[in-house]
Every structure is written in C-alpha cells, then in structure tokens.
Amino acid sequence: MKVGIFPGFFDVSDTAYVQEAERLGAASVWTAEAWGHDALTPLAYLAARTSTIRLGTAIAQIGARSPAMLAMSAMSLQALSGGRFLLGLGVSGPQVMEGWHGVRFAAPVAATRETIEIVRKVAAGERLDHDGSVYRLPLPGGQGRALRSLAPPVSVPAYVAAMGPRNLALTGELADGWIGNAFMPEEAAAFLGPLREGAERSGRALTDLDLAIPVAVEFTDDVEEAGRRHAGGYAFTIGAMGSRRRNFYNDAFARQGFGDAVGEVRRLWLAGDREAAAAAVPLEIGLRTNLLGTEEKIAERLRLHRAAGTTTLLAKLDGPPERRLATLGRLLDVVAKVNAEPAPASLT
C-alpha cells in the first residue's frame, strides 16, 4: 500500500505541509472542489513547488467543464508537472450540478464513460469525433469540424469516484483507478464485486486498478471517542449531500448493511435536529471508514485494507501542519511494517 495525503480544499498555507509530506515519502496529494475553489488550479501551483509527489483531483466534477476543456486542463497539468498528474473524476450530484453549474444531472454513468473516452482521445492526439448519447462532437448540423489537439500527446490516468453498482462496473471497465469513499474493508464486496465485473468485461483484473481509499487518520488511546466524533461528522454527508430523492453515500452505506440507520439519520437531519442526527450515526461507520486508535489498532485496520485490495490510502489529517506531519510520519512507518508482512488471504 502507498500513502497519499488528502487536504481537500487546498489553501496556499498548505504548501509547506505538502512539500514536507513529499520529503517524508507521501506518494500523492489530492485536491477537492465543491462550490468554492476548483481542484485543478491548486495543482498547477503545487506542480511548481514540488518535484516527485503525484498530483490528483478528488474530484473534478463531470459536467462542470466540457470534456475537451477537461482534457486541455489535464494535458496542461501533465506538462507543468512532468507527468505527475492524476485525473480524478466524479459526477457530484443534482444539487451542485443543477444549482451551481446549471447543468442537468442526467445519465451520470453515460456522462462518465463519454468524458473518459473524450479525454483519452484528445490526450492521445486523435481527432475529436464522438457520437455519444450525452456528447456529440462535432455538433451535428453545425459548422464545427473534428479537431486534433495542438498540444503534444500525453497519458492522463483517470480515476473515478464511483459509488453505485453501474458506475463501479464502468470504473472497473475503463478507469486506471477508483476513489473509494465510504469504503469499509469488512464489506469490500459491496464495491469490489461490481468493479471486478467491469474489469473482467474489458479483459482486465481488479488488480489492474489503483484502489485509492480516503481515510481519516488519528492516533489515539480513546478509540471509541474518536470513532464517535468521526461518526457524527457523517451526519452532514448522510443528511445533506444529495437531494431528497437520492443520496449516493446513503445508498453505499445501505449496501454495506446500514440502510435503516442512515435512513433515521437523514430523517432527523431533514427535520432540523442536527445534534440528534449526529448522535444517530452508528459508531461502526466512524470506526470502519477510518484509521483510528493506537499503532497496533491501526495496523489491524491496515491489514484488513491490504487483504481487501486497497493499494493507496488517501490520508485525511487534521490539525496544524506539525501535527499532521507527525501523524503522517507515524502512518508511513506503520504502513511500511504491514507491507513487509506476508501477503494476507484476500477478503474478497
């Protein structure tokens, strides 16, 4: 397993932290976007201030840019970073896409497929001719023509933050990696089954993908307190990150056995009782989706991740830079020890 860092919404004050994380041995750094700063621009800034750490988006929102514009940005970042860029993609949700970008949230699986296909075609230096159900290029009946990028061809590894079975299967079929939010190694089959089916459909194996799992990391002797705190933090995700009709996180938790519990959390949140909603999130969700506890306890969780097939941990670290770096250093040491152990039996 490799370790990346996931500061999320990047601030320029994080620069020294990322540089020191690179020196310690972090394999990658990932930036996010919602409806504030974008995920791509900070990576151009970091590309000029780092030398080896890989630079990923987690996630660039599909539909926020045309696929060709996304390809242009990705190719620019590959050139600026010396080939260190990783394009993490996701469909976001209807509240953001329709409320912020003014783009209909329709056919998310088809949009994901076609975006990856178009980005790869542009990045490979091919003429952009695409006849899909979401994108038709050039536009039929117009004056456009099939163009070829003026930039030199480059490889753009594509990661997808998929949660639903159809998008997971598509990820297995097409992507270079998966960003696995809400992942619990004990219930890995809920995600890895569809991923494997998609990979096999395209003549690949699940091991051909980089399985990148975001996890909060906290070394502590009070595991239950930390677990309870992190569980409560999911109340916003369960209650607000989605429309009243659909929440991809809740669907994912339901497939892992927490359907009734997240339904109650959502009910309380929508009723305006935020404290009760936070208290209702099962402790197991906080514990199983993160790395919390002593070094021995975290090593146990890492063994479960390794057995499930996790290849990259995207560490979410809190506190001032000194504390984050101290936690990262300890995590890198524990991961190295677990990696040195004999390969475990697969959980899936």
Side-chain angles (χ1 to χ4, degrees):
M1 289 182 291
K2 296 177 292 185
V3 176
I5 56 171
F6 189 13
F9 303 114
F10 179 79
D11 186 89
V12 68
S13 62
D14 290 321
T15 305
Y17 163 60
V18 175
Q19 291 171 323
E20 184 63 13
E22 177 182 61
R23 189 192 68 78
L24 288 173
S28 53
V29 56
W30 300 74
T31 55
E33 65 184 20
W35 48 94
H37 293 161
D38 76 299
L40 294 163
T41 306
L43 296 182
Y45 180 87
L46 287 173
R49 289 158 177 81
T50 58
S51 57
T52 60
I53 197 168
R54 305 204 76 179
L55 309 164
T57 55
I59 57 168
Q61 298 164 346
I62 290 173
R65 311 159 181 84
S66 73
M69 186 70 244
L70 187 61
M72 292 166 67
S73 298
M75 294 171 77
S76 297
L77 280 164
Q78 283 300 44
L80 291 169
S81 68
R84 292 184 282 142
F85 178 63
L86 304 169
L87 178 61
L89 298 167
V91 295
S92 188
Q95 288 180 311
V96 175
M97 298 315 299
E98 297 186 6
W100 185 250
H101 294 292
V103 176
R104 288 293 178 197
F105 189 76
V109 176
T112 301
R113 175 185 292 278
E114 294 183 31
T115 296
I116 293 173
E117 291 172 345
I118 292 170
V119 167
R120 284 182 172 160
K121 183 173 285 190
V122 172
E126 301 175 19
R127 289 195 181 278
L128 182 48
D129 185 352
H130 182 86
D131 187 17
S133 61
V134 179
Y135 300 105
R136 298 185 68 186
L137 300 165
L139 284 174
Q143 300 179 61
R145 53 179 293 193
L147 300 173
R148 193 191 307 272
S149 174
L150 296 173
V154 293
S155 172
V156 178
Y159 287 60
V160 178
M163 302 187 83
R166 291 177 59 223
N167 220 8
L168 285 163
L170 173 64
T171 301
E173 177 188 347
L174 281 185
D176 299 284
W178 174 56
I179 301 171
N181 292 299
F183 178 79
M184 305 178 194
E186 294 91 339
E187 306 295 337
F191 294 101
L192 302 191
L195 280 170
R196 182 179 290 106
E197 290 173 12
E200 292 174 350
R201 192 161 64 207
S202 62
R204 303 195 300 168
L206 185 60
T207 52
D208 291 326
L209 279 78
D210 181 14
L211 305 185
I213 310 300
V215 287
V217 182
E218 186 175 335
F219 289 94
T220 176
D221 292 325
D222 196 342
V223 180
E224 185 167 342
E225 184 279 330
R228 181 70 264 156
R229 182 162 28 84
H230 283 275
Y234 272 109
F236 176 81
T237 303
I238 294 168
M241 286 187 65
S243 69
R244 286 183 175 268
R245 287 182 291 176
R246 190 73 183 272
N247 182 311
F248 297 117
Y249 283 90
N250 294 2
D251 293 345
F253 284 130
R255 289 196 303 275
Q256 296 179 92
F258 293 92
D260 291 342
V262 296
E264 177 62 8
V265 174
R266 182 174 181 275
R267 184 191 69 78
L268 290 166
W269 182 275
L270 294 178
D273 196 342
R274 306 295 167 79
E275 288 187 10
V281 180
L283 175 64
E284 290 85 354
I285 287 181
L287 293 174
R288 294 183 183 181
T289 59
N290 298 303
L291 299 175
L292 312 173
T294 63
E295 290 190 3
E296 293 75 16
K297 184 70 175 178
I298 287 178
E300 291 176 11
R301 299 297 305 167
L302 290 172
R303 293 184 187 103
L304 289 175
H305 273 280
R306 190 179 177 207
T310 298
T311 48
T312 300
L313 297 162
L314 305 185
K316 298 183 287 184
L317 309 173
D318 287 333
E322 316 84 64
R323 190 168 83 192
R324 282 181 278 164
L325 290 167
T327 301
L328 175 62
R330 292 179 73 181
L331 176 63
L332 287 166
D333 288 343
V334 178
V335 168
K337 291 176 183 176
V338 171
N339 283 342
E341 295 173 357
S346 173
L347 289 178
T348 58

